[in-house]
Amino acid sequence: MFFCLFSKQRMENFFRKWYDGLGVSDVLNEKTRLVFELYSGTLPVKVAAEHGISNGTLQKAYRRGEIEKPYRGVYVLPESLDDDLLAMQSIYSKGIYSYETALYLNGLGSFVPFKYYMTFPRGYSNSSFEENMISPSWITEKYYEIGLTELLSLVGNPLRVYDKERTILDILGSKRILPYLVEEAVYDYYTDSDADFDRLVHYAEQMKRTYLLKRWNEYLVKFSKNEKSSS
């Protein structure tokens, strides 16, 4: 009855101090710390399990105050910068970073998204989308993995994200994204030495989106005119 008067957070703080007062040694051993460092300080439970680290060990270390828990199922070393992109990918393992987040990760345009834009197979749902600022899109299974690649987060962790060509095709077909953001991203892609225009056309054919190539060509004409007028 007495303990019911305390919040969960106060109880956790109480026991952390109690453990410290007993002089109990750290829960995290050298191997566990090395795994945390391998992922730049952010370690999802699913990834930890792949390295033989149990959720019980992580929970115990969290109760001791050795690590933090910014998201459900994700732990972070106190001195590290949270890798929120890795965290969201772990929580929503079916999601692929797309649209504005994919533009950002691919270095297209200057927009920095304040939400996490992810594409899921049609039929997938999760009640925590809004809570974690996920902006979901859905697509049929046969188109879901077209253009899937791996890019690194700012702290060097691997992320599932659509490549430049798939992302350009997606934003060309979006009615939600502001036109100036689309134009900026398309121009960056157009002037990118790594751009693969043949792949862009191939994706359009695979996904039955060849009608979007008309809009693509309109941008090319506009860019070409601007280049001639400035020369």
Side-chain angles (χ1 to χ4, degrees):
M1 189 69 180
F2 169 76
F3 290 109
C4 294
L5 298 175
F6 294 89
S7 67
K8 180 181 178 182
Q9 188 63 50
R10 289 182 65 191
M11 288 293 295
E12 289 176 350
N13 291 338
F14 170 80
F15 280 111
R16 287 178 188 179
K17 292 177 181 178
W18 181 66
Y19 274 123
D20 291 340
L22 292 176
V24 180
S25 60
D26 288 350
V27 174
L28 295 185
N29 58 29
E30 184 179 355
K31 174 196 170 184
T32 304
R33 288 188 179 277
L34 286 174
V35 174
F36 265 98
E37 291 172 7
L38 181 64
Y39 294 92
S40 302
T42 297
L43 188 62
V45 170
K46 294 176 183 177
V47 176
E50 295 172 3
H51 292 273
I53 302 170
S54 71
N55 188 31
T57 296
L58 295 173
Q59 289 179 343
K60 193 173 181 180
Y62 171 67
R63 289 194 295 269
R64 285 290 317 280
E66 296 176 41
I67 54 178
E68 298 172 354
K69 189 178 181 181
Y71 309 101
R72 183 177 181 180
V74 180
Y75 294 92
V76 178
L77 290 176
E79 66 274 15
S80 300
L81 180 68
D82 296 1
D83 190 344
D84 53 339
L85 290 168
L86 177 65
M88 291 302 110
Q89 178 176 267
S90 173
I91 295 170
Y92 306 100
S93 57
K94 284 285 187 180
I96 299 174
Y97 285 117
S98 56
Y99 292 95
E100 286 94 326
T101 304
L103 287 176
Y104 173 71
L105 291 170
N106 278 291
L108 299 174
S110 59
F111 180 71
V112 179
F114 58 91
K115 291 183 178 182
Y116 306 99
Y117 294 87
M118 305 183 87
T119 294
F120 299 88
R122 195 176 301 281
Y124 177 87
S125 63
N126 193 302
S127 60
S128 64
F129 280 154
E130 186 174 352
E131 174 189 346
N132 287 322
M133 296 192 298
I134 301 294
S135 180
S137 299
W138 293 270
I139 196 164
T140 55
E141 190 77 41
K142 64 179 179 179
Y143 302 141
Y144 168 63
E145 292 191 343
I146 292 177
L148 173 61
T149 190
E150 185 178 280
L151 295 176
L152 299 180
S153 68
L154 290 177
V155 296
N157 288 316
L159 302 173
R160 286 161 48 88
V161 56
Y162 286 130
D163 63 15
K164 294 179 181 180
E165 287 71 29
R166 169 63 188 268
T167 302
I168 289 296
L169 201 60
D170 280 345
I171 67 168
L172 285 173
S174 174
K175 296 180 180 179
R176 174 183 55 77
I177 302 176
L178 295 174
Y180 83 90
L181 293 178
V182 176
E183 182 170 341
E184 181 184 46
V186 170
Y187 181 76
D188 281 356
Y189 176 72
Y190 168 70
T191 57
D192 188 340
S193 59
D194 293 328
D196 190 331
F197 302 138
D198 290 337
R199 183 184 297 164
L200 180 71
V201 173
H202 179 61
Y203 286 173
E205 292 172 344
Q206 273 188 295
M207 301 179 71
K208 296 179 171 48
R209 293 182 177 180
T210 52
Y211 61 92
L212 293 176
L213 297 178
K214 180 180 178 182
R215 191 177 182 195
W216 163 254
N217 288 327
E218 289 172 353
Y219 278 116
L220 297 191
V221 171
K222 182 176 182 178
F223 298 153
S224 179
K225 287 181 178 179
N226 291 341
E227 289 173 354
K228 288 180 181 178
S229 62
S230 60
S231 60

PDB file of all heavy atoms in Angstrom, residues 12-13 15-28 57-67:
ATOM      1  N   GLU A  12      11.762   3.916  -9.601  1.00  0.00           N
ATOM      2  CA  GLU A  12      12.977   3.530 -10.305  1.00  0.00           C
ATOM      3  C   GLU A  12      14.172   4.302  -9.776  1.00  0.00           C
ATOM      4  O   GLU A  12      15.250   3.735  -9.558  1.00  0.00           O
ATOM      5  CB  GLU A  12      12.810   3.762 -11.813  1.00  0.00           C
ATOM      6  CG  GLU A  12      11.858   2.774 -12.468  1.00  0.00           C
ATOM      7  CD  GLU A  12      11.628   3.085 -13.934  1.00  0.00           C
ATOM      8  OE1 GLU A  12      12.063   4.167 -14.380  1.00  0.00           O
ATOM      9  OE2 GLU A  12      11.041   2.250 -14.625  1.00  0.00           O
ATOM     10  N   ASN A  13      13.984   5.601  -9.552  1.00  0.00           N
ATOM     11  CA  ASN A  13      15.078   6.416  -9.027  1.00  0.00           C
ATOM     12  C   ASN A  13      15.493   5.954  -7.628  1.00  0.00           C
ATOM     13  O   ASN A  13      16.674   5.935  -7.287  1.00  0.00           O
ATOM     14  CB  ASN A  13      14.668   7.893  -8.980  1.00  0.00           C
ATOM     15  CG  ASN A  13      14.525   8.495 -10.361  1.00  0.00           C
ATOM     16  OD1 ASN A  13      15.101   7.976 -11.322  1.00  0.00           O
ATOM     17  ND2 ASN A  13      13.758   9.566 -10.473  1.00  0.00           N
ATOM     18  N   PHE A  15      15.241   2.910  -6.303  1.00  0.00           N
ATOM     19  CA  PHE A  15      15.994   1.661  -6.325  1.00  0.00           C
ATOM     20  C   PHE A  15      17.378   1.826  -6.956  1.00  0.00           C
ATOM     21  O   PHE A  15      18.320   1.129  -6.593  1.00  0.00           O
ATOM     22  CB  PHE A  15      15.194   0.568  -7.069  1.00  0.00           C
ATOM     23  CG  PHE A  15      14.140  -0.061  -6.211  1.00  0.00           C
ATOM     24  CD1 PHE A  15      12.799   0.165  -6.479  1.00  0.00           C
ATOM     25  CD2 PHE A  15      14.489  -0.854  -5.123  1.00  0.00           C
ATOM     26  CE1 PHE A  15      11.823  -0.411  -5.674  1.00  0.00           C
ATOM     27  CE2 PHE A  15      13.522  -1.428  -4.321  1.00  0.00           C
ATOM     28  CZ  PHE A  15      12.174  -1.206  -4.594  1.00  0.00           C
ATOM     29  N   ARG A  16      17.484   2.767  -7.905  1.00  0.00           N
ATOM     30  CA  ARG A  16      18.804   3.026  -8.473  1.00  0.00           C
ATOM     31  C   ARG A  16      19.753   3.525  -7.387  1.00  0.00           C
ATOM     32  O   ARG A  16      20.901   3.095  -7.283  1.00  0.00           O
ATOM     33  CB  ARG A  16      18.709   4.064  -9.595  1.00  0.00           C
ATOM     34  CG  ARG A  16      18.071   3.527 -10.875  1.00  0.00           C
ATOM     35  CD  ARG A  16      17.962   4.613 -11.906  1.00  0.00           C
ATOM     36  NE  ARG A  16      17.187   4.157 -13.047  1.00  0.00           N
ATOM     37  CZ  ARG A  16      16.912   4.898 -14.100  1.00  0.00           C
ATOM     38  NH1 ARG A  16      17.346   6.147 -14.157  1.00  0.00           N
ATOM     39  NH2 ARG A  16      16.219   4.415 -15.103  1.00  0.00           N
ATOM     40  N   LYS A  17      19.278   4.470  -6.589  1.00  0.00           N
ATOM     41  CA  LYS A  17      20.104   5.011  -5.503  1.00  0.00           C
ATOM     42  C   LYS A  17      20.404   3.925  -4.467  1.00  0.00           C
ATOM     43  O   LYS A  17      21.494   3.867  -3.903  1.00  0.00           O
ATOM     44  CB  LYS A  17      19.400   6.193  -4.846  1.00  0.00           C
ATOM     45  CG  LYS A  17      19.298   7.410  -5.756  1.00  0.00           C
ATOM     46  CD  LYS A  17      18.528   8.542  -5.080  1.00  0.00           C
ATOM     47  CE  LYS A  17      18.417   9.740  -5.999  1.00  0.00           C
ATOM     48  NZ  LYS A  17      17.628  10.837  -5.381  1.00  0.00           N
ATOM     49  N   TRP A  18      19.421   3.067  -4.251  1.00  0.00           N
ATOM     50  CA  TRP A  18      19.607   1.993  -3.279  1.00  0.00           C
ATOM     51  C   TRP A  18      20.697   1.028  -3.733  1.00  0.00           C
ATOM     52  O   TRP A  18      21.585   0.644  -2.981  1.00  0.00           O
ATOM     53  CB  TRP A  18      18.283   1.253  -3.088  1.00  0.00           C
ATOM     54  CG  TRP A  18      18.350   0.124  -2.085  1.00  0.00           C
ATOM     55  CD1 TRP A  18      18.564   0.224  -0.743  1.00  0.00           C
ATOM     56  CD2 TRP A  18      18.189  -1.271  -2.360  1.00  0.00           C
ATOM     57  NE1 TRP A  18      18.540  -1.018  -0.169  1.00  0.00           N
ATOM     58  CE2 TRP A  18      18.315  -1.948  -1.132  1.00  0.00           C
ATOM     59  CE3 TRP A  18      17.944  -1.985  -3.526  1.00  0.00           C
ATOM     60  CZ2 TRP A  18      18.203  -3.329  -1.047  1.00  0.00           C
ATOM     61  CZ3 TRP A  18      17.835  -3.360  -3.442  1.00  0.00           C
ATOM     62  CH2 TRP A  18      17.965  -4.016  -2.203  1.00  0.00           C
ATOM     63  N   TYR A  19      20.647   0.663  -5.029  1.00  0.00           N
ATOM     64  CA  TYR A  19      21.667  -0.212  -5.593  1.00  0.00           C
ATOM     65  C   TYR A  19      23.047   0.433  -5.484  1.00  0.00           C
ATOM     66  O   TYR A  19      24.028  -0.197  -5.107  1.00  0.00           O
ATOM     67  CB  TYR A  19      21.381  -0.522  -7.063  1.00  0.00           C
ATOM     68  CG  TYR A  19      20.451  -1.686  -7.290  1.00  0.00           C
ATOM     69  CD1 TYR A  19      19.279  -1.518  -8.022  1.00  0.00           C
ATOM     70  CD2 TYR A  19      20.760  -2.955  -6.790  1.00  0.00           C
ATOM     71  CE1 TYR A  19      18.425  -2.584  -8.250  1.00  0.00           C
ATOM     72  CE2 TYR A  19      19.905  -4.024  -7.018  1.00  0.00           C
ATOM     73  CZ  TYR A  19      18.743  -3.841  -7.746  1.00  0.00           C
ATOM     74  OH  TYR A  19      17.902  -4.892  -7.971  1.00  0.00           O
ATOM     75  N   ASP A  20      23.109   1.712  -5.826  1.00  0.00           N
ATOM     76  CA  ASP A  20      24.380   2.423  -5.775  1.00  0.00           C
ATOM     77  C   ASP A  20      24.931   2.441  -4.356  1.00  0.00           C
ATOM     78  O   ASP A  20      26.133   2.318  -4.117  1.00  0.00           O
ATOM     79  CB  ASP A  20      24.224   3.857  -6.290  1.00  0.00           C
ATOM     80  CG  ASP A  20      23.958   3.890  -7.793  1.00  0.00           C
ATOM     81  OD1 ASP A  20      24.271   2.885  -8.457  1.00  0.00           O
ATOM     82  OD2 ASP A  20      23.437   4.915  -8.281  1.00  0.00           O
ATOM     83  N   GLY A  21      24.028   2.629  -3.397  1.00  0.00           N
ATOM     84  CA  GLY A  21      24.448   2.656  -2.003  1.00  0.00           C
ATOM     85  C   GLY A  21      25.002   1.324  -1.535  1.00  0.00           C
ATOM     86  O   GLY A  21      25.856   1.261  -0.654  1.00  0.00           O
ATOM     87  N   LEU A  22      24.543   0.238  -2.150  1.00  0.00           N
ATOM     88  CA  LEU A  22      25.051  -1.081  -1.788  1.00  0.00           C
ATOM     89  C   LEU A  22      26.414  -1.361  -2.418  1.00  0.00           C
ATOM     90  O   LEU A  22      27.078  -2.335  -2.073  1.00  0.00           O
ATOM     91  CB  LEU A  22      24.063  -2.174  -2.244  1.00  0.00           C
ATOM     92  CG  LEU A  22      22.723  -2.226  -1.519  1.00  0.00           C
ATOM     93  CD1 LEU A  22      21.848  -3.297  -2.165  1.00  0.00           C
ATOM     94  CD2 LEU A  22      22.933  -2.540  -0.042  1.00  0.00           C
ATOM     95  N   GLY A  23      26.780  -0.507  -3.369  1.00  0.00           N
ATOM     96  CA  GLY A  23      28.059  -0.713  -4.037  1.00  0.00           C
ATOM     97  C   GLY A  23      28.039  -1.868  -5.016  1.00  0.00           C
ATOM     98  O   GLY A  23      29.046  -2.527  -5.253  1.00  0.00           O
ATOM     99  N   VAL A  24      26.884  -2.158  -5.592  1.00  0.00           N
ATOM    100  CA  VAL A  24      26.768  -3.256  -6.551  1.00  0.00           C
ATOM    101  C   VAL A  24      27.523  -2.897  -7.826  1.00  0.00           C
ATOM    102  O   VAL A  24      27.447  -1.769  -8.306  1.00  0.00           O
ATOM    103  CB  VAL A  24      25.273  -3.522  -6.877  1.00  0.00           C
ATOM    104  CG1 VAL A  24      25.148  -4.657  -7.869  1.00  0.00           C
ATOM    105  CG2 VAL A  24      24.517  -3.843  -5.600  1.00  0.00           C
ATOM    106  N   SER A  25      28.224  -3.840  -8.400  1.00  0.00           N
ATOM    107  CA  SER A  25      29.000  -3.574  -9.615  1.00  0.00           C
ATOM    108  C   SER A  25      28.094  -3.362 -10.808  1.00  0.00           C
ATOM    109  O   SER A  25      26.925  -3.763 -10.800  1.00  0.00           O
ATOM    110  CB  SER A  25      29.947  -4.745  -9.884  1.00  0.00           C
ATOM    111  OG  SER A  25      29.203  -5.939 -10.071  1.00  0.00           O
ATOM    112  N   ASP A  26      28.641  -2.734 -11.860  1.00  0.00           N
ATOM    113  CA  ASP A  26      27.861  -2.445 -13.061  1.00  0.00           C
ATOM    114  C   ASP A  26      27.338  -3.731 -13.690  1.00  0.00           C
ATOM    115  O   ASP A  26      28.000  -4.770 -13.703  1.00  0.00           O
ATOM    116  CB  ASP A  26      28.724  -1.714 -14.091  1.00  0.00           C
ATOM    117  CG  ASP A  26      29.018  -0.280 -13.669  1.00  0.00           C
ATOM    118  OD1 ASP A  26      28.400   0.178 -12.697  1.00  0.00           O
ATOM    119  OD2 ASP A  26      29.867   0.361 -14.307  1.00  0.00           O
ATOM    120  N   VAL A  27      26.101  -3.643 -14.240  1.00  0.00           N
ATOM    121  CA  VAL A  27      25.503  -4.779 -14.934  1.00  0.00           C
ATOM    122  C   VAL A  27      26.140  -4.957 -16.303  1.00  0.00           C
ATOM    123  O   VAL A  27      26.361  -6.079 -16.762  1.00  0.00           O
ATOM    124  CB  VAL A  27      23.976  -4.578 -15.078  1.00  0.00           C
ATOM    125  CG1 VAL A  27      23.367  -5.683 -15.927  1.00  0.00           C
ATOM    126  CG2 VAL A  27      23.323  -4.535 -13.708  1.00  0.00           C
ATOM    127  N   LEU A  28      26.448  -3.862 -16.965  1.00  0.00           N
ATOM    128  CA  LEU A  28      26.994  -3.934 -18.316  1.00  0.00           C
ATOM    129  C   LEU A  28      28.447  -4.388 -18.274  1.00  0.00           C
ATOM    130  O   LEU A  28      29.311  -3.697 -17.734  1.00  0.00           O
ATOM    131  CB  LEU A  28      26.905  -2.565 -19.004  1.00  0.00           C
ATOM    132  CG  LEU A  28      25.514  -1.997 -19.275  1.00  0.00           C
ATOM    133  CD1 LEU A  28      25.624  -0.710 -20.059  1.00  0.00           C
ATOM    134  CD2 LEU A  28      24.642  -2.992 -20.020  1.00  0.00           C
ATOM    135  N   THR A  57      18.952  -8.448 -19.091  1.00  0.00           N
ATOM    136  CA  THR A  57      20.206  -7.751 -18.766  1.00  0.00           C
ATOM    137  C   THR A  57      20.062  -6.253 -19.000  1.00  0.00           C
ATOM    138  O   THR A  57      20.489  -5.433 -18.175  1.00  0.00           O
ATOM    139  CB  THR A  57      21.359  -8.300 -19.629  1.00  0.00           C
ATOM    140  OG1 THR A  57      21.580  -9.678 -19.310  1.00  0.00           O
ATOM    141  CG2 THR A  57      22.645  -7.516 -19.386  1.00  0.00           C
ATOM    142  N   LEU A  58      19.435  -5.898 -20.105  1.00  0.00           N
ATOM    143  CA  LEU A  58      19.245  -4.483 -20.439  1.00  0.00           C
ATOM    144  C   LEU A  58      18.297  -3.811 -19.444  1.00  0.00           C
ATOM    145  O   LEU A  58      18.535  -2.674 -19.018  1.00  0.00           O
ATOM    146  CB  LEU A  58      18.724  -4.338 -21.866  1.00  0.00           C
ATOM    147  CG  LEU A  58      19.687  -4.813 -22.967  1.00  0.00           C
ATOM    148  CD1 LEU A  58      18.999  -4.783 -24.332  1.00  0.00           C
ATOM    149  CD2 LEU A  58      20.947  -3.960 -22.999  1.00  0.00           C
ATOM    150  N   GLN A  59      17.231  -4.486 -19.075  1.00  0.00           N
ATOM    151  CA  GLN A  59      16.288  -3.932 -18.105  1.00  0.00           C
ATOM    152  C   GLN A  59      16.965  -3.715 -16.755  1.00  0.00           C
ATOM    153  O   GLN A  59      16.733  -2.694 -16.094  1.00  0.00           O
ATOM    154  CB  GLN A  59      15.084  -4.867 -17.952  1.00  0.00           C
ATOM    155  CG  GLN A  59      14.154  -4.884 -19.151  1.00  0.00           C
ATOM    156  CD  GLN A  59      12.992  -5.844 -18.969  1.00  0.00           C
ATOM    157  OE1 GLN A  59      13.022  -6.723 -18.120  1.00  0.00           O
ATOM    158  NE2 GLN A  59      11.961  -5.669 -19.774  1.00  0.00           N
ATOM    159  N   LYS A  60      17.799  -4.652 -16.376  1.00  0.00           N
ATOM    160  CA  LYS A  60      18.503  -4.538 -15.102  1.00  0.00           C
ATOM    161  C   LYS A  60      19.464  -3.352 -15.120  1.00  0.00           C
ATOM    162  O   LYS A  60      19.541  -2.569 -14.162  1.00  0.00           O
ATOM    163  CB  LYS A  60      19.267  -5.831 -14.831  1.00  0.00           C
ATOM    164  CG  LYS A  60      19.795  -5.963 -13.412  1.00  0.00           C
ATOM    165  CD  LYS A  60      20.387  -7.349 -13.208  1.00  0.00           C
ATOM    166  CE  LYS A  60      20.893  -7.520 -11.782  1.00  0.00           C
ATOM    167  NZ  LYS A  60      21.479  -8.872 -11.567  1.00  0.00           N
ATOM    168  N   ALA A  61      20.176  -3.196 -16.246  1.00  0.00           N
ATOM    169  CA  ALA A  61      21.104  -2.071 -16.381  1.00  0.00           C
ATOM    170  C   ALA A  61      20.346  -0.743 -16.391  1.00  0.00           C
ATOM    171  O   ALA A  61      20.821   0.262 -15.844  1.00  0.00           O
ATOM    172  CB  ALA A  61      21.921  -2.224 -17.662  1.00  0.00           C
ATOM    173  N   TYR A  62      19.165  -0.755 -16.996  1.00  0.00           N
ATOM    174  CA  TYR A  62      18.335   0.459 -17.013  1.00  0.00           C
ATOM    175  C   TYR A  62      17.878   0.833 -15.612  1.00  0.00           C
ATOM    176  O   TYR A  62      17.938   2.012 -15.216  1.00  0.00           O
ATOM    177  CB  TYR A  62      17.131   0.242 -17.927  1.00  0.00           C
ATOM    178  CG  TYR A  62      16.098   1.336 -17.863  1.00  0.00           C
ATOM    179  CD1 TYR A  62      16.383   2.623 -18.325  1.00  0.00           C
ATOM    180  CD2 TYR A  62      14.842   1.087 -17.306  1.00  0.00           C
ATOM    181  CE1 TYR A  62      15.436   3.636 -18.254  1.00  0.00           C
ATOM    182  CE2 TYR A  62      13.888   2.092 -17.237  1.00  0.00           C
ATOM    183  CZ  TYR A  62      14.193   3.363 -17.704  1.00  0.00           C
ATOM    184  OH  TYR A  62      13.256   4.365 -17.625  1.00  0.00           O
ATOM    185  N   ARG A  63      17.463  -0.158 -14.845  1.00  0.00           N
ATOM    186  CA  ARG A  63      17.031   0.110 -13.466  1.00  0.00           C
ATOM    187  C   ARG A  63      18.182   0.623 -12.608  1.00  0.00           C
ATOM    188  O   ARG A  63      17.969   1.399 -11.673  1.00  0.00           O
ATOM    189  CB  ARG A  63      16.425  -1.153 -12.847  1.00  0.00           C
ATOM    190  CG  ARG A  63      15.066  -1.542 -13.418  1.00  0.00           C
ATOM    191  CD  ARG A  63      14.377  -2.580 -12.543  1.00  0.00           C
ATOM    192  NE  ARG A  63      15.093  -3.841 -12.507  1.00  0.00           N
ATOM    193  CZ  ARG A  63      14.858  -4.854 -13.352  1.00  0.00           C
ATOM    194  NH1 ARG A  63      13.930  -4.730 -14.294  1.00  0.00           N
ATOM    195  NH2 ARG A  63      15.543  -5.981 -13.251  1.00  0.00           N
ATOM    196  N   ARG A  64      19.381   0.219 -12.958  1.00  0.00           N
ATOM    197  CA  ARG A  64      20.560   0.682 -12.243  1.00  0.00           C
ATOM    198  C   ARG A  64      21.002   2.086 -12.684  1.00  0.00           C
ATOM    199  O   ARG A  64      21.877   2.686 -12.064  1.00  0.00           O
ATOM    200  CB  ARG A  64      21.732  -0.282 -12.489  1.00  0.00           C
ATOM    201  CG  ARG A  64      21.652  -1.605 -11.723  1.00  0.00           C
ATOM    202  CD  ARG A  64      21.875  -1.417 -10.234  1.00  0.00           C
ATOM    203  NE  ARG A  64      22.981  -0.511  -9.974  1.00  0.00           N
ATOM    204  CZ  ARG A  64      24.253  -0.851 -10.020  1.00  0.00           C
ATOM    205  NH1 ARG A  64      24.600  -2.086 -10.311  1.00  0.00           N
ATOM    206  NH2 ARG A  64      25.185   0.039  -9.759  1.00  0.00           N
ATOM    207  N   GLY A  65      20.439   2.592 -13.772  1.00  0.00           N
ATOM    208  CA  GLY A  65      20.824   3.910 -14.266  1.00  0.00           C
ATOM    209  C   GLY A  65      22.042   3.895 -15.167  1.00  0.00           C
ATOM    210  O   GLY A  65      22.602   4.946 -15.487  1.00  0.00           O
ATOM    211  N   GLU A  66      22.470   2.696 -15.610  1.00  0.00           N
ATOM    212  CA  GLU A  66      23.645   2.589 -16.474  1.00  0.00           C
ATOM    213  C   GLU A  66      23.319   2.933 -17.928  1.00  0.00           C
ATOM    214  O   GLU A  66      24.200   3.338 -18.686  1.00  0.00           O
ATOM    215  CB  GLU A  66      24.226   1.185 -16.391  1.00  0.00           C
ATOM    216  CG  GLU A  66      24.759   0.810 -15.019  1.00  0.00           C
ATOM    217  CD  GLU A  66      25.236  -0.627 -14.972  1.00  0.00           C
ATOM    218  OE1 GLU A  66      25.864  -1.071 -15.952  1.00  0.00           O
ATOM    219  OE2 GLU A  66      24.963  -1.313 -13.967  1.00  0.00           O
ATOM    220  N   ILE A  67      22.085   2.738 -18.327  1.00  0.00           N
ATOM    221  CA  ILE A  67      21.639   3.067 -19.677  1.00  0.00           C
ATOM    222  C   ILE A  67      20.284   3.758 -19.601  1.00  0.00           C
ATOM    223  O   ILE A  67      19.599   3.702 -18.577  1.00  0.00           O
ATOM    224  CB  ILE A  67      21.536   1.810 -20.582  1.00  0.00           C
ATOM    225  CG1 ILE A  67      20.652   0.736 -19.926  1.00  0.00           C
ATOM    226  CG2 ILE A  67      22.921   1.275 -20.900  1.00  0.00           C
ATOM    227  CD1 ILE A  67      20.475  -0.505 -20.784  1.00  0.00           C
TER     228      ILE A  67
END
